[in-house]
Amino acid sequence: KAGVTQTPRYLIKTRGQQVTLSCSPISGHRSVSWYQQTPGQGLQFLFEYFSETQRNKGNFPGRFSGRQFSNSRSEMNVSTLELGDSALYLCASSAPTGGAETQYFGPGTRLLVL
Amino acid sequence: AQSVTQLDSQVPVFEEAPVELRCNYSSSVSVYLFWYVQYPNQGLQLLLKYLSGSTLVKGINGFEAEFNKSQTSFHLRKPSVHISDTAEYFCAVSTSGTYKYIFGTGTRLKVLA
């Protein structure tokens, strides 16, 4: 099975712009989670989607949003970019097991905000 | 709320020596525990997980971890490391119905020749 894919892999934007990142989960996985990784804050949970519904959300401002499509692909959007949004954004997918859901991560999208 | 503490930010070790990376968690409910490895410029790769059952969990690349409920720990061990094990290792905790992981701050393992 192909793994989780994320596009683009690298992105450079300037402050004030917006950006959309895409994630395609492993085939058959219906849950997609997003994390932000920075040297200062480590790995922080952004949100999780299952069957096009957001089930959980982390402590990020409303500039960070996401959605999931009927084919389980997901996008996250960051509006009005700030320098501090520079990070590696990781997407993970999992198959529902009714309990613990093991998450499988993609390679990430590295965003640099200038 | 859950939290994860990785006590060592960096661990240097000589090749072929054993290593233990420490992870402690805090939770008021039953947890699921995971170890992931991250190589430079890559995503996270699952090493092993504890969901239930045997407290000694074996993973890929010769790693194993032991779940200790009384000490709320889930330390990662390898009896003999290789240069290729140089990477950052993350411990994570999850609970049923939360749909998210809480990660530790990571431990950089540096294997020396």
Side-chain angles (χ1 to χ4, degrees):
Chain A
K1 266 187 185 177
V4 177
T5 58
Q6 293 186 244
T7 56
R9 290 292 312 278
Y10 303 93
L11 209 48
I12 301 175
K13 292 285 188 180
T14 56
R15 278 182 298 173
Q17 288 187 309
Q18 75 164 14
V19 67
T20 299
L21 312 181
S22 180
C23 172
S24 292
I26 292 170
S27 177
H29 286 191
R30 293 164 60 193
S31 169
V32 174
S33 300
W34 289 89
Y35 294 84
Q36 182 196 63
Q37 185 178 22
T38 59
Q41 299 297 317
L43 281 151
Q44 293 189 289
F45 172 75
L46 280 156
F47 27 65
E48 188 264 358
Y49 288 88
F50 177 78
S51 291
E52 303 178 65
T53 299
Q54 187 183 91
R55 295 194 295 187
N56 202 348
K57 186 178 189 303
N59 295 323
F60 279 82
R63 300 185 297 106
F64 291 81
S65 62
R67 59 177 176 169
Q68 186 180 34
F69 302 94
S70 58
N71 63 358
S72 295
R73 191 177 68 84
S74 177
E75 289 181 348
M76 69 162 281
N77 185 276
V78 187
S79 63
T80 319
L81 284 166
E82 300 178 359
L83 296 179
D85 297 333
S86 294
L88 180 66
Y89 290 88
L90 292 164
C91 165
S93 75
S94 61
T97 60
E101 298 185 351
T102 302
Q103 297 188 0
Y104 297 90
F105 286 80
T109 293
R110 188 165 295 279
L111 172 65
L112 175 62
V113 182
L114 301 176
Chain B
Q2 297 86 41
S3 66
V4 178
T5 302
Q6 291 185 245
L7 298 166
D8 305 299
S9 59
Q10 294 187 68
V11 173
V13 62
F14 285 106
E15 193 175 19
E16 298 183 8
V19 70
E20 178 180 83
L21 306 184
R22 298 180 291 170
C23 173
N24 286 86
Y25 69 92
S26 172
S27 176
S28 58
V29 297
S30 295
V31 297
Y32 307 117
L33 294 156
F34 306 83
W35 275 101
Y36 284 84
V37 61
Q38 186 176 36
Y39 299 101
N41 299 315
Q42 294 188 27
L44 302 177
Q45 180 182 6
L46 179 67
L47 276 177
L48 48 79
K49 59 186 176 183
Y50 171 78
L51 305 181
S52 65
S54 173
T55 57
L56 183 61
V57 179
K58 293 191 184 296
I60 63 172
N61 300 341
F63 285 94
E64 64 180 33
E66 185 154 19
F67 171 59
N68 188 319
K69 189 174 182 180
S70 63
Q71 296 188 5
T72 60
S73 67
F74 190 55
H75 300 334
L76 181 70
R77 301 187 188 99
K78 186 169 182 177
S80 175
V81 295
H82 304 290
I83 296 288
S84 58
D85 292 324
T86 294
E88 189 151 22
Y89 292 79
F90 292 93
C91 180
V93 65
S94 177
T95 56
S96 182
T98 60
Y99 315 118
K100 71 176 185 181
Y101 285 8
I102 303 296
F103 282 91
T105 50
T107 297
R108 282 192 191 278
L109 175 63
K110 173 72 172 176
V111 181
L112 308 168

